Amino acid sequence: MKTKRIIAFLLTLIMILGVMPVSSFANDDYAGNEIIASVAIESDYSGKGYKVSISDKTITLKVPSSDAGKSIDPNAILAFKYETGVVNPVVSYSKSTVKVDEDAATNVTLTILYGKNLNSYSDYKVSIVVDETIVSDADLAVLADSTGKAVTATLINKIFKSYDDVEYISILGAPKAVKFVLSGSYVDTNASGSSAVLIESAKFDKLYAVPLVAKGTQTFAITAYDEDEDKLGTEVFTVEVVATEKKSDTLAELSYTVEPGKSFTLVTNDINTKFKAVTGENFAYATFTLPATLYGSLQYDEKAISTTDEFVRMASSSISSEKLLSKLVFVPSATYTGTLTLNYTAYNEDEDVSCTGKINITYKKTVKVTFTDVKSTDYFYETVSWAVNNGITTGTTATTFSPKTICTRAQILTFMWRSAGSPSSTITNKFTDVKSSAYYYKAVLWAAEKGIIDMPVTSGKLNPDATISRSDVVTYLYKMAGSPSVTKSNTFTDVPSTAPYASAVAWAVGKGITTGTSATKFTPAQKCDRAQIVTFLYRYYEE
């Protein structure tokens, strides 16, 4: 699938005219303009060998060798007459040629004077029609580099719009820079170089161009026929394949935790968010490296994928056979423990931007909670299990969790630090009661650096063993979230709007972290126990 690039046909049109009465030519020397001139002989001599051919705005006149039995000098053109009040369409002439002005008025009739002198001459009347039409940008494009990949080439029907009765076309020559395919098959050429099968006009929208090189120029011709397969004319094209500049970048890493042996579906929106943050646009499709069998496998429809498989963000149609990224599944090994880094590349629609990214997948086996003081019917059963399995806390003993034990400031900061991935910090400790040997030392420095608590300017105390209240907990979580703006105020009667924790309470309620102790009370001074703390944290991450 790769998106399919614009085709550009830099039009160089040459129409070779046979015996008149009517012939036409096109010229694209002028940006955006196409000059079409028609020439018709109006004298009785048109059927007696009078011939006209056109090339690059120059009309070449060949005078018949005799006129009613009289000998005529074919190079004896003397002058041209034209209607008064119109622009003279003749730029210059010499002997038997006349060059037409592209800005000439339409429907100009010239009288060609020829002979030995102006006192003794014969004339032919020639009607010249100069018709200026605008060529839209859609008719002028660029065939970007997509070597070996079909790109839409539906300009053919536009190119031949000046012909009234085109039923078929054939392509002359086998271009080195580009070939054509029709409905997925290359257009065959015969020994003489023209296409072996005439292509019906009804199939123009199924005709595609395939660049064969990254860049290069090739000239070829397309001939149009009517329904009787009589030739209408030939257009000569110069196609330039231009290598496009491709941009690449690196995306921010993604991280997931999986259970060994349990399938995990990759999150399309997560990849798109990272791609859009760098490029400003959505990604179209992505490819993936394959993990070693030690780690597991990437599967689509329960089959292992290959590195060439492309997974689209959105299918192009309801009946598309494209592979959706939302159905790509990673099946982790049931025995491996540790972290796997999975590499991928995402592309935009035009394929001129590609970004590489990494997905860190950590294997973590779920441990069943067996604490004697945590029952499956307790409201905190699931949150205690989550906290233990994510390394946020263990029990107070091998068999107890102590859910009703009131939490201290050191404990909640440690829980929060571990939930954030136990990050390091560079801030200098100025708490006199926080020793470097304390289990909560790194957590306190992280919290101070994060702005969750205030570090003293010179020295001061944290009081790590002080118990924590409900207002303290929501304030810490609110600051960990970056103190976002709150549009809705709380309605608790015991939370004044001037309270320093008022915004934190309103935010926590809005996020579903807590609902209060009743419909009208928040009870901000109530102490928090271990079960409540892990429940607040769980809701913070799972909301």
Side-chain angles (χ1 to χ4, degrees):
M1 156 239 144
K2 286 181 183 173
T3 1
K4 315 305 176 203
R5 314 243 184 33
I6 314 178
I7 305 180
F9 290 86
L10 305 175
L11 298 179
T12 309
L13 302 178
I14 300 174
M15 168 105 23
I16 301 175
L17 304 176
V19 176
M20 303 303 289
V22 177
S23 183
S24 66
F25 77 87
N27 180 280
D28 67 346
D29 288 348
Y30 303 90
N33 293 334
E34 185 178 26
I35 309 304
I36 301 175
S38 297
V39 180
I41 305 302
E42 294 186 348
S43 75
D44 291 338
Y45 298 105
S46 60
K48 298 180 180 180
Y50 195 111
K51 295 181 180 180
V52 180
S53 63
I54 302 175
S55 174
D56 191 24
K57 300 190 297 296
T58 298
I59 302 174
T60 302
L61 306 174
K62 290 187 177 180
V63 182
S65 57
S66 64
D67 179 2
K70 298 179 181 179
S71 178
I72 296 175
D73 181 357
N75 295 323
I77 293 179
L78 301 173
F80 294 87
K81 289 183 180 179
Y82 56 92
E83 299 174 27
T84 59
V86 299
V87 177
N88 182 2
V90 179
V91 175
S92 63
Y93 67 91
S94 126
K95 296 185 178 179
S96 60
T97 64
V98 54
K99 192 169 185 178
V100 179
D101 184 350
E102 67 274 5
D103 293 323
T106 59
N107 302 320
V108 177
T109 299
L110 293 177
T111 299
I112 302 174
L113 309 179
Y114 72 96
K116 292 183 178 180
N117 55 64
L118 291 177
N119 294 321
S120 175
Y121 65 86
S122 298
D123 63 60
Y124 285 103
K125 289 183 179 180
V126 179
S127 175
I128 297 180
V129 178
V130 180
D131 182 22
E132 181 176 326
T133 60
I134 302 300
V135 179
S136 69
D137 290 340
D139 295 327
L140 305 172
V142 175
L143 187 58
D145 93 306
S146 55
T147 307
K149 299 292 183 179
V151 290
T152 308
T154 56
L155 297 180
I156 302 301
N157 54 351
K158 295 180 181 179
I159 292 167
F160 287 98
K161 64 185 177 182
S162 60
Y163 295 86
D164 294 329
D165 303 312
V166 176
E167 290 292 328
Y168 304 92
I169 61 168
S170 67
I171 301 171
L172 180 64
K176 296 177 182 178
V178 61
K179 289 185 72 173
F180 283 94
V181 295
L182 178 65
S183 301
S185 300
Y186 276 110
V187 175
D188 294 328
T189 55
N190 57 26
S192 64
S194 61
S195 55
V197 179
L198 294 176
I199 301 167
E200 299 176 31
S201 60
K203 295 181 179 179
F204 284 172
D205 61 344
K206 293 180 172 58
L207 187 64
Y208 296 87
V210 177
L212 303 179
V213 293
K215 59 182 179 178
T217 302
Q218 181 68 30
T219 300
F220 60 98
I222 294 181
T223 301
Y225 302 84
D226 62 17
E227 61 182 359
D228 297 322
E229 297 192 11
D230 292 330
K231 184 186 295 185
L232 296 174
T234 299
E235 307 286 359
V236 178
F237 299 92
T238 298
V239 175
E240 183 177 5
V241 183
V242 181
T244 16
E245 179 185 355
K246 294 188 177 183
K247 300 178 181 178
S248 61
D249 216 322
T250 302
L251 304 180
E253 294 184 5
L254 291 168
S255 297
Y256 302 106
T257 300
V258 298
E259 176 129 5
K262 187 177 180 180
S263 298
F264 169 76
T265 301
L266 296 185
V267 184
T268 304
N269 286 341
D270 288 354
I271 292 177
N272 196 52
T273 298
K274 302 299 182 185
F275 188 86
K276 200 168 185 179
V278 172
T279 66
E281 58 184 316
N282 297 319
F283 83 93
Y285 70 97
T287 59
F288 293 81
T289 59
L290 303 181
T293 54
L294 166 69
Y295 306 108
S297 64
L298 283 168
Q299 296 183 5
Y300 194 88
D301 286 341
E302 299 184 352
K303 296 179 181 178
I305 71 166
S306 70
T307 54
T308 58
D309 286 337
E310 298 168 355
F311 299 91
V312 299
R313 182 179 60 88
M314 296 177 61
S316 56
S317 70
S318 59
I319 59 173
S320 171
S321 60
E322 297 164 312
K323 295 179 179 178
L324 286 170
L325 180 56
S326 59
K327 294 183 179 180
L328 181 61
V329 174
F330 175 64
V331 183
S333 166
T335 57
Y336 178 76
T337 57
T339 299
L340 161 70
T341 298
L342 191 66
N343 297 306
Y344 69 95
T345 304
Y347 301 82
N348 69 340
E349 186 69 23
D350 294 327
E351 295 181 316
D352 58 355
V353 176
S354 63
C355 296
T356 56
K358 292 182 178 181
I359 301 175
N360 299 313
I361 301 177
T362 301
Y363 296 64
K364 197 170 188 74
K365 190 167 183 63
T366 301
V367 178
K368 187 177 181 180
V369 172
T370 58
F371 298 122
T372 57
D373 53 358
V374 179
K375 298 180 178 61
S376 60
T377 54
D378 291 331
Y379 81 86
F380 49 80
Y381 176 81
E382 183 179 359
T383 59
V384 169
S385 178
W386 168 81
V388 171
N389 278 286
N390 283 279
I392 294 171
T393 182
T394 59
T396 51
T397 70
T399 59
T400 60
F401 183 75
S402 304
K404 299 301 182 183
T405 299
I406 301 301
C407 227
T408 65
R409 183 172 295 165
Q411 287 172 332
I412 187 173
L413 293 178
T414 301
F415 289 178
M416 293 171 65
W417 174 65
R418 289 172 181 167
S419 73
S422 302
S424 59
S425 60
T426 58
I427 197 169
T428 301
N429 176 33
K430 294 179 181 177
F431 289 115
T432 58
D433 55 353
V434 177
K435 305 301 181 185
S436 60
S437 58
Y439 75 87
Y440 49 81
Y441 177 75
K442 291 182 178 179
V444 169
L445 295 189
W446 165 80
E449 188 173 61
K450 185 84 173 170
I452 297 170
I453 59 175
D454 295 326
M455 180 71 78
V457 177
T458 55
S459 64
K461 290 188 175 183
L462 174 70
N463 296 318
D465 295 326
T467 55
I468 208 83
S469 67
R470 284 170 54 82
S471 62
D472 290 331
V473 174
V474 294
T475 299
Y476 284 176
L477 293 175
Y478 176 63
K479 289 181 177 179
M480 185 166 74
S483 301
S485 60
V486 179
T487 57
K488 201 175 210 181
S489 60
N490 65 75
T491 58
F492 296 120
T493 58
D494 56 354
V495 180
S497 60
T498 56
Y501 49 81
S503 293
V505 171
W507 167 82
V509 171
K511 290 294 183 180
I513 294 172
T514 181
T515 57
T517 54
S518 73
T520 58
K521 300 285 186 181
F522 181 75
T523 319
Q526 186 182 87
K527 301 301 180 182
C528 268
D529 57 36
R530 284 166 54 82
Q532 291 172 326
I533 294 297
V534 295
T535 300
F536 283 5
L537 267 175
Y538 174 78
R539 291 172 181 169
Y540 173 88
Y541 284 105
E542 297 299 317
E543 58 86 21

